[in-house]
Amino acid sequence: MLIGASGLIGSQIAAALAGTGSAVMGVARHVHSASRSMPMIGWLVADLGRASLEDWRDHLRGVDVVVNCAGALQRGPMDDLAATREEGLKGCESV
């Protein structure tokens, strides 16, 4: 599972992993355009600012490795820095 797979860094890692034949599940807040540009990986919609422990339990079922490439450069209407960097991933760590 690659969290932030539609971003600048995450998309490059997703493409590289998919190129090795690895099964990649990309996680992003908005996956519509990402799924068109990278149809070779699976996609899961998740907003780190709102994902609960139960959400992560469901999302991580059967997952062997999680790579976190989620990021935000500044706080704004669409990005909550604390949620992206800390709060939203607490559920992921607990599973």
Side-chain angles (χ1 to χ4, degrees):
M1 175 177 284
L2 183 58
I3 301 171
S6 64
L8 179 66
I9 296 169
S11 62
Q12 297 300 308
I13 293 172
L17 287 171
T20 68
S22 298
V24 180
M25 175 59 65
V27 179
R29 186 174 34 192
H30 306 289
V31 300
H32 186 69
S33 61
S35 64
R36 282 196 318 255
S37 64
M38 288 190 286
M40 69 290 235
I41 70 171
W43 287 96
L44 173 67
V45 176
D47 185 334
L48 294 182
R50 293 178 171 82
S52 69
L53 178 58
E54 290 304 314
D55 292 333
W56 282 116
R57 280 193 179 122
D58 291 341
H59 298 333
L60 293 171
R61 198 166 282 124
V63 171
D64 295 322
V65 176
V66 175
V67 177
N68 179 17
C69 295
L73 298 177
Q74 62 188 16
R75 184 173 176 79
M78 292 297 294
D79 294 314
D80 179 336
L81 295 180
T84 300
R85 296 179 181 165
E86 302 163 19
E87 298 301 320
L89 295 173
K90 284 184 180 176
C92 187
E93 295 169 357
S94 301
V95 172

